[in-house]
Amino acid sequence: MTDVIEIDEDGIEQVSLKTYAEKAYLDYSMYVILDRALPHVGDGLKPVQRRIVYAMSELGLKATAKFKKSARTVGDVIGKFHPHGDSAAYEAMVLMAQNFSYRYPLVDGQGNWGSPDDPKSFAAMRYTESRLTAYADVLLSELGQGTVDWSPNFDGTMDEPTVLPAQVPNVLLNGTTGIAVGMATDVPPHNLREVVAATIHLLESPKATVAELCEHVQAPDFPTDAEIITPREDIMAMYETGRGALKMRAVWEKEGPDIVVSALPHQVSGSKVLEQIAHQMQAKKLPMVADLRDESDHENPTRLVIVPRSNRVEVEAVMNHLFATTDLERSYRVNLNMIGIDGRPGVKGLDRILKEWLKFRTETVRRRLEYRLERVLRRLHILDGYLVAFLNIDEVIHIIRTEDKPKPALMKRFGISDVQAEAILDLKLRNLAKLEEMKIRGEQDELEVERDQLQTILGSAARLKTLIKKELQSVAEKFGDDRRSPLMARGEAQAFSELDLMTADPITVVMSEKGWIRAAKGHDIDPSSLSYKSGDGFKMAAKGRSNQPTVILDSTGRAYTVPSHNLPSARGQGEPVTGRINPPSGATFEGLMMGDEGDLYLLASDAGYGFVAKLGELQTKNKAGKGALNLPKGSGVMQPAAISEAEGAWVAAVTNEGRLLVFPLEDLPQMARGKGNKIIGIPTARVQSREEFVIAVQVLTDKDTLVVYAGKRHHKLKFSDLKHYCGERGRRGNKLPRGFQKVDAMLVES
């Protein structure tokens, strides 16, 4: 930056605001990344966490010590190592103490340290007490053994460890989240046994692939019994790249009629879930749930009871909806971003994390062994000096008593080193006189054995690997446990559609002559008695349920679908159906159908052609409808006839001249659209001139009665009476008795 600094006439350095701001922001960014937000691959801790753990160990707060007020501990941390606020340090400490946040907590706490339901509900630090857990020992036990690089604290008055000598890959075990400038980290927690098994596999096979490592580390392992439902291939890809996402789903079971949720996803609040479900119930978006209860206690930390409205409710479908719309299913972002052993941040795959950690661990163990070897060699050297002193004890005592400078005299007389002479002089005379050859030689023998072992291990890469492997296994044996979060393959959660949430109430859809539509509750109403606008009147009606769509057939043969549940009430006069659909200009509405998708209807033109169609095939989302019935020239559309039972059913068709034909329904084809086959024979020219056409078409069984209406008179024909009118499909049919040949309508009575 020297090239941008200018010195003015008064000798004051000047720098441009742009340069100053850029440098300040860059410095701050790098500080946040390297010294605040990201964990280190070696010990898996952020600086504040490392300082807390180290400070607590310095205070002697081991797992066997008495608890100490957290305020005093935090005060010690911020006074000696962490130049930030006490509340931030305490929050970091709380996180390490919560067994629902950390898979293997580092801090053991007494008092209120928050609950899974509300992690931030912990008491103030003056009320809580803390000490380290036994697990914290895997980070601290090798501290005083030459394994650590030390750096000055914030004010330079003392040293603090740059990275703790972790005995396991702690960065994966407890996981962490953090936001730095321009980057973030989200490391999920893992199972100790699984991670150690993968690390040992990599130690033995350095070229192991991620797929091989994933045989040991199958997925993260959260401190909850909820299921991980992410597909295995997605988890593999996550470990490959270091980025991805995980889905967790609550565990539930049916107890009698009730649904009981016994485990929630990681960091999901039970009260929040109940609130979400209650909100849906209030908004009438969950009519199949009658009640909610929270029965959680000390024995059952999570027990949420959902009471269905009746036994007929499909609980699987309800839970599937709740998984899609509440926190009973939660996604977690994964971003394995951490500071590597080179001191640089980076997103790393599973293989790279474990390789870097093994490199770190190998170096740590090597330093520990070298430190110990140095201590052993120094002691052996001193013991050699003690032996010389023992063999010449009187002369040594004489030199010490008489000489002004005994050290050089001893070195010259016995040929011993400075260190040996210093060690002899450090002993009190009475202790010097008490030296025993047996003790000295016994200690020498023990240390020589240890020296040889240390030198053998340090001189052999294979032995060093074996030692690391054994140490990893012993930690896994001591602190390892079974997997908590089971891996389950589940289908994607699907929220209820608006239609699914509709109640299946019986309704009658009514259409007026002018095309006004409405829905009346129930099936026992008389549509013709409803009020109609002036000049308008009843035309047709269809019975069904509110969750079934209404299919309308227009005079051009096009079919339209409108939802039935939101049709206007029959208390009013309805609304024009053209507001919901777009029929061709001049088209009128001639048919109305309701029912299940599999229901059959007979579609026919008054030219005497028709076919059988499934209601589901006539439905469409298109406002302009879809072509269903092709009309011969000069013909019109007839009201479709419902087919209650296709097997053994008969078709009855009657013309305006009183010709009636009855034939088996099976003679007509089942189609999705088209003109259909001939039902009754009418000459084409007569249809086109409108001299003769079909008045009505009905479908009946041999138990039904056919009623023919002519003016004010009606004629009932039982099936036995219809033998005279039975014939082949497409025939002209036989004439009805005199007085009934000018047919107005034809209905079926069961």
Side-chain angles (χ1 to χ4, degrees):
M1 304 297 283
T2 51
D3 55 331
V4 293
I5 294 173
E6 297 175 3
I7 298 173
D8 67 2
E9 295 171 356
D10 299 324
I12 297 167
E13 291 181 352
Q14 292 183 326
V15 64
S16 73
L17 185 62
K18 178 177 177 289
T19 308
Y20 171 77
E22 277 181 2
K23 185 177 182 304
Y25 188 64
L26 186 65
D27 289 348
Y28 170 72
S29 302
M30 293 314 295
Y31 153 71
V32 171
I33 291 167
L34 299 175
D35 289 326
R36 205 155 116 188
L38 298 188
H40 194 281
V41 70
D43 58 9
L45 299 176
K46 297 177 187 178
V48 64
Q49 295 171 327
R50 189 177 299 119
R51 287 163 180 162
I52 290 166
V53 170
Y54 175 66
M56 288 179 79
S57 74
E58 286 292 282
L59 290 166
L61 296 176
K62 298 287 172 79
T64 51
K66 281 184 179 177
F67 287 94
K68 185 176 178 181
K69 283 284 183 194
S70 302
R72 296 178 68 184
T73 307
V74 169
D76 205 72
V77 172
I78 61 174
K80 290 180 181 174
F81 305 109
H82 200 62
H84 295 284
D86 56 356
S87 60
Y90 182 51
E91 276 191 31
M93 185 175 171
V94 167
L95 192 72
M96 293 191 288
Q98 292 176 336
N99 58 4
F100 50 85
S101 296
Y102 263 38
R103 186 68 179 79
Y104 302 95
L106 294 166
V107 175
D108 182 10
Q110 273 193 344
N112 179 10
W113 290 81
S115 65
D117 225 26
D118 189 6
K120 300 250 170 152
S121 64
F122 52 86
M125 57 186 168
R126 61 184 176 273
Y127 301 121
T128 61
E129 297 181 331
S130 57
R131 65 183 180 191
L132 291 169
T133 58
Y135 174 77
D137 220 36
V138 302
L139 301 172
L140 299 164
S141 61
E142 297 174 354
L143 254 182
Q145 301 176 26
T147 54
V148 175
D149 290 325
W150 299 85
S151 59
N153 68 342
F154 62 91
D155 60 0
T157 54
M158 58 203 311
D159 288 338
E160 62 177 332
T162 50
V163 182
L164 294 177
Q167 294 173 296
V168 285
N170 189 58
V171 68
L172 289 171
L173 297 180
N174 278 321
T176 191
T177 60
I179 299 171
V181 179
M183 61 177 70
T185 183
D186 293 277
V187 184
H190 288 75
N191 186 276
L192 176 59
R193 283 178 185 163
E194 291 179 9
V195 171
V196 165
T199 310
I200 290 169
H201 181 77
L202 190 63
L203 189 65
E204 292 173 340
S205 313
K207 291 183 179 176
T209 61
V210 172
E212 288 172 28
L213 296 175
C214 283
E215 287 177 17
H216 301 284
V217 182
Q218 296 185 356
D221 186 24
F222 294 87
T224 171
D225 298 324
E227 300 168 349
I228 294 172
I229 61 166
T230 305
R232 182 152 174 76
E233 53 272 20
D234 291 0
I235 293 173
M236 291 263 292
M238 177 192 85
Y239 284 132
E240 200 80 55
T241 60
R243 287 191 176 93
L246 281 169
K247 268 189 185 174
M248 287 196 85
R249 189 177 281 188
V251 173
W252 66 278
E253 59 185 8
K254 214 172 160 208
E255 277 188 19
D258 300 343
I259 302 164
V260 176
V261 177
S262 55
L264 293 169
H266 184 50
Q267 291 176 335
V268 165
S269 159
S271 56
K272 174 87 181 291
V273 168
L274 289 176
E275 196 179 307
Q276 289 172 331
I277 300 171
H279 182 70
Q280 289 191 33
M281 289 166 70
Q282 285 164 1
K284 300 200 172 163
K285 291 188 176 176
L286 208 56
M288 51 287 289
V289 174
D291 192 20
L292 293 174
R293 292 196 305 274
D294 188 354
E295 295 182 355
S296 307
D297 53 29
H298 288 292
E299 286 182 18
N300 303 292
T302 301
R303 185 177 165 85
L304 309 180
V305 182
I306 302 166
V307 182
R309 194 165 290 281
S310 72
N311 291 333
R312 294 189 302 278
V313 171
E314 289 185 33
V315 292
E316 284 81 9
V318 170
M319 289 308 294
N320 214 25
H321 167 79
L322 291 175
F323 289 139
T325 57
T326 69
D327 283 347
L328 287 173
E329 183 175 300
R330 173 78 79 83
S331 283
Y332 300 88
R333 187 177 59 193
V334 175
N335 186 25
L336 305 179
N337 188 11
M338 59 196 71
I339 296 167
I341 52 175
D342 58 356
R344 296 176 178 220
V347 178
K348 308 175 195 293
L350 180 63
D351 54 340
R352 196 170 155 206
I353 292 170
L354 293 180
K355 275 176 185 169
E356 285 202 22
W357 185 84
L358 273 173
K359 199 173 174 183
F360 164 80
R361 182 63 188 157
T362 305
E363 183 57 30
T364 302
V365 172
R366 186 182 293 284
R367 285 174 69 172
R368 189 187 81 211
L369 296 176
E370 284 172 350
Y371 177 80
R372 179 62 188 163
L373 180 62
E374 192 186 320
R375 298 276 300 263
V376 167
L377 291 172
R378 182 181 168 88
R379 182 65 181 165
L380 280 169
H381 186 60
I382 287 168
L383 286 173
D384 286 341
Y386 283 168
L387 201 59
V388 168
F390 170 75
L391 295 172
N392 304 279
I393 189 70
D394 294 336
E395 199 174 343
V396 168
I397 290 170
H398 178 73
I399 291 170
I400 292 169
R401 280 179 171 167
T402 56
E403 293 286 337
D404 289 337
K405 293 183 179 177
K407 191 176 42 179
L410 287 171
M411 289 167 67
K412 188 179 177 183
R413 172 65 186 86
F414 301 112
I416 59 178
S417 69
D418 186 279
V419 173
Q420 289 172 322
E422 193 73 48
I424 291 167
L425 290 170
D426 280 347
L427 280 178
K428 290 179 179 172
L429 280 178
R430 65 173 178 271
N431 291 339
L432 195 62
K434 286 180 187 174
L435 285 177
E436 292 177 29
E437 187 178 4
M438 290 292 285
K439 278 187 180 177
I440 294 168
R441 293 203 185 277
E443 194 178 346
Q444 273 182 326
D445 292 344
E446 283 175 19
L447 289 172
E448 278 168 3
V449 170
E450 190 179 350
R451 177 197 65 196
D452 295 343
Q453 284 175 343
L454 290 167
Q455 286 174 339
T456 307
I457 294 167
L458 285 165
S460 167
R463 286 179 186 270
L464 191 62
K465 273 187 184 179
T466 306
L467 177 65
I468 293 167
K469 180 183 169 182
K470 282 181 179 173
E471 287 179 354
L472 279 166
Q473 285 171 334
S474 70
V475 173
E477 200 172 312
K478 190 174 178 183
F479 298 107
D481 57 358
D482 295 332
R483 168 174 278 280
R484 282 196 63 183
S485 304
L487 303 174
M488 301 297 286
R490 303 282 187 196
E492 195 172 344
Q494 190 79 41
F496 286 135
S497 64
E498 195 180 354
L499 202 63
D500 294 330
L501 296 170
M502 286 297 108
T503 52
D505 299 322
I507 59 167
T508 303
V509 176
V510 181
M511 178 86 76
S512 77
E513 291 169 359
K514 302 281 187 188
W516 285 57
I517 195 168
R518 51 187 149 167
K521 287 184 179 178
H523 289 166
D524 53 350
I525 65 145
D526 179 11
S528 59
S529 65
L530 297 174
S531 68
Y532 293 89
K533 283 188 175 289
S534 179
D536 200 359
F538 168 70
K539 185 167 186 179
M540 54 191 171
K543 294 175 180 178
R545 296 195 170 272
S546 55
N547 62 346
Q548 295 171 336
T550 301
V551 178
I552 302 166
L553 202 64
D554 76 0
S555 56
T556 67
R558 295 185 74 77
Y560 310 84
T561 307
V562 295
S564 307
H565 66 272
N566 57 5
L567 288 174
S569 167
R571 289 193 185 98
Q573 290 168 336
E575 64 180 38
V577 75
T578 48
R580 296 169 177 252
I581 57 176
N582 298 328
S585 181
T588 57
F589 303 107
E590 304 299 332
L592 212 56
M593 294 170 278
M594 284 186 82
D596 296 326
E597 288 188 1
D599 288 0
L600 299 174
Y601 276 84
L602 173 59
L603 269 57
S605 61
D606 63 10
Y609 288 85
F611 61 91
V612 176
K614 265 189 186 175
L615 190 57
E617 291 175 340
L618 299 175
Q619 291 175 11
T620 175
K621 289 180 181 176
N622 194 349
K623 275 191 160 187
K626 64 189 272 190
L629 183 64
N630 294 350
L631 299 173
K633 195 175 176 184
S635 66
V637 173
M638 301 188 65
Q639 167 72 19
I643 302 168
S644 55
E645 201 176 315
E647 201 172 324
W650 296 77
V651 178
V654 67
T655 68
N656 61 331
E657 290 189 351
R659 291 186 175 276
L660 176 65
L661 177 67
V662 179
F663 63 89
L665 178 68
E666 61 190 27
D667 292 355
L668 284 177
Q670 189 174 316
M671 303 158 58
R673 56 173 296 171
K675 177 181 169 185
N677 288 12
K678 190 178 278 190
I679 295 173
I680 189 167
I682 305 173
T684 310
R686 286 177 69 83
V687 171
Q688 288 177 10
S689 64
R690 303 303 288 169
E691 286 178 50
E692 190 179 356
F693 49 88
V694 179
I695 287 290
V697 176
Q698 293 290 356
V699 178
L700 68 159
T701 64
D702 52 9
K703 293 172 186 171
D704 296 334
T705 302
L706 198 64
V707 187
V708 178
Y709 292 88
K712 292 181 180 180
R713 300 174 67 190
H714 68 272
H715 183 47
K716 290 190 177 182
L717 295 162
K718 290 183 180 177
F719 192 76
S720 56
D721 304 328
L722 294 173
K723 294 258 171 91
H724 174 64
Y725 304 99
C726 289
E728 290 180 20
R729 177 184 60 76
R731 296 288 183 184
R732 286 284 283 158
N734 291 324
K735 281 212 167 191
L736 286 161
R738 278 181 187 274
F740 296 100
Q741 289 177 3
K742 287 190 176 180
V743 180
D744 293 322
M746 182 170 68
L747 297 174
V748 174
E749 283 185 0
S750 297

